[in-house]
Amino acid sequence: AYSDAIDSTLAERREIETTVYQPAEDSALLANAIHEQGRGRLLEVGTGSGWVAVTTAEDVDAVTEVVASDINPHACRAAAQRAVSSDDTTTPISVVQGDLLTAFDTNSFETVAFNPPYLPTDPDAEWDDWMERALSGGPSGREVIESFIDSLSRVLVPDGIGLVIISSLTGYETVTRYIETAGFSYSVVI
């Protein structure tokens, strides 16, 4: 449903945007998953431009509050501006700068959603700019996802739900095994 709102490719945006991840096809996938299963207080990790967070606040009645976070200060400013500019929501939206889940208390969220960086990247070449950081998943493409999964149970309430985009580039079966090893069950939403 949300893919129609994404009108340019990442490559096209990369030519003009070098500090903040803009909505792309994977953003629409995450928004659709939240629409299907998001509820209660929701955290979007790695919010980038804030598109998913604001779309959630505007369109998902089961979500009562949205917290958008990113390690990138430029992304936090962009997400806050998008939230302030939204005229279509009464759902509260806040933006927090932080690294993955470290800034959040135990049992804070009913839903945590994440579109992680997943491109396998040489660690010597990945931190030159914020966009590279937004796309780099480390040497295997799974390092950021694994760190997220390792901390997820701490911030979720009992019976909370985590939604994460998994790219074929990271090894779907390897990531789902990691999820199970961390004590979670999983299902394919979209």
Side-chain angles (χ1 to χ4, degrees):
Y2 296 108
S3 61
D4 294 339
I6 311 295
D7 60 359
S8 61
T9 67
L10 178 59
E12 289 169 341
R13 283 188 304 283
R14 183 70 171 109
E15 295 298 318
I16 58 172
E17 177 60 66
T18 60
T19 58
V20 177
Y21 187 83
Q22 297 298 312
E25 293 78 11
D26 50 0
S27 307
L29 289 173
L30 187 60
N32 284 332
I34 293 168
H35 192 268
E36 293 293 318
Q37 296 198 1
R39 57 186 164 80
R41 188 169 189 237
L42 178 135
L43 169 64
E44 185 203 3
V45 177
T47 194
S49 71
W51 182 82
V52 170
V54 172
T55 298
T56 297
E58 291 173 348
D59 296 343
V60 184
D61 293 338
V63 171
T64 58
E65 178 185 357
V66 175
V67 178
S69 75
D70 208 296
I71 194 170
N72 177 345
H74 306 286
C76 291
R77 281 192 293 278
Q81 181 58 46
R82 185 181 291 269
V84 168
S85 299
S86 174
D87 294 330
D88 297 331
T89 183
T90 57
T91 301
I93 305 171
S94 56
V95 179
V96 175
Q97 184 179 355
D99 187 6
L100 295 177
L101 302 170
T102 58
F104 303 103
D105 291 333
T106 301
N107 297 330
S108 296
F109 300 97
E110 283 80 18
T111 308
V112 177
F114 188 29
N115 179 12
Y118 51 77
L119 295 178
T121 310
D122 179 352
D124 294 332
E126 68 181 275
W127 308 115
D128 290 347
D129 68 32
W130 284 108
M131 186 57 83
E132 287 180 10
R133 191 171 193 159
L135 299 173
S136 173
S140 72
R142 291 184 295 276
E143 281 75 8
V144 176
I145 295 170
E146 290 173 354
S147 292
F148 169 78
I149 292 167
D150 289 343
S151 300
L152 182 59
S153 64
R154 182 182 63 77
V155 300
L156 281 175
V157 299
D159 297 321
I161 184 170
L163 300 169
V164 63
I165 300 291
I166 302 173
S167 167
S168 60
L169 296 173
T170 62
Y172 179 79
E173 291 80 18
T174 303
V175 174
T176 55
R177 273 194 308 273
Y178 197 89
I179 289 169
E180 289 176 325
T181 301
F184 293 102
S185 59
Y186 73 91
S187 60
V188 177
V189 177
I190 296 178

